[in-house]
Amino acid sequence: MIRVILDTNVLVSALLFSGELGRIVEGWKSGAFVPVFSRETFDEFRRVLSYPKFSLTVQEIAALIEDEVLPFCEVVEIGEEILNVCRDPADDPFLSCTMAASADCIISGDKDLLALGSFRNISIVTAAAFLRKNRK
């Protein structure tokens, strides 16, 4: 099973907007891969969903999480905290999650994560690159 870390912008965009990123949601729902979160990355996801620009109610956020994400994901405990690797320290929790999950890749649209290219031999790719490589 392919285990992936989805950065928050990819995850939110895949859930809220139609288009190419919708294939990410289809992928995890079909079992093509498993999205993996840590408490920290999941908390960030939940916080971002509540931003006013998305105009989501508390009930809509709960439904997205409970119906579209939780049944298909795995949550890991962070063992080794990765610090000061990414040029944006707010992205380091995704690297920590990657190590704890023994993930196959990070799917990101974040230029600071993408600039790394890989971390400890785990690739960091755009959603488009991931979808191209993992077509059914």
Side-chain angles (χ1 to χ4, degrees), residues 94-116:
F94 293 95
L95 302 177
S96 299
C97 185
T98 300
M99 293 296 92
S102 298
D104 295 289
C105 71
I106 299 174
I107 303 172
S108 180
D110 184 291
K111 64 182 180 238
D112 295 317
L113 281 170
L114 290 168
L116 294 173

Side-chain angles (χ1 to χ4, degrees), residues 37-44 46 75-78:
F37 296 92
S38 66
R39 180 180 308 273
E40 294 80 6
T41 63
F42 194 81
D43 287 348
E44 178 179 316
R46 187 184 352 235
V75 179
V76 295
E77 290 291 325
I78 299 300

Side-chain angles (χ1 to χ4, degrees), residues 40-125:
E40 294 80 6
T41 63
F42 194 81
D43 287 348
E44 178 179 316
F45 164 61
R46 187 184 352 235
R47 184 174 41 80
V48 169
L49 283 176
S50 68
Y51 285 179
K53 69 180 180 179
F54 297 126
S55 302
L56 295 171
T57 66
V58 171
Q59 294 81 8
E60 289 169 326
I61 292 169
L64 270 174
I65 291 170
E66 292 169 18
D67 300 338
E68 303 293 323
V69 179
L70 288 180
F72 307 99
C73 78
E74 183 180 326
V75 179
V76 295
E77 290 291 325
I78 299 300
E80 175 189 5
E81 187 175 7
I82 307 299
L83 298 170
N84 303 313
V85 171
C86 197
R87 61 188 182 201
D88 179 356
D91 292 327
D92 285 337
F94 293 95
L95 302 177
S96 299
C97 185
T98 300
M99 293 296 92
S102 298
D104 295 289
C105 71
I106 299 174
I107 303 172
S108 180
D110 184 291
K111 64 182 180 238
D112 295 317
L113 281 170
L114 290 168
L116 294 173
S118 68
F119 179 71
R120 296 187 185 171
N121 296 318
I122 297 169
S123 61
I124 302 171
V125 299

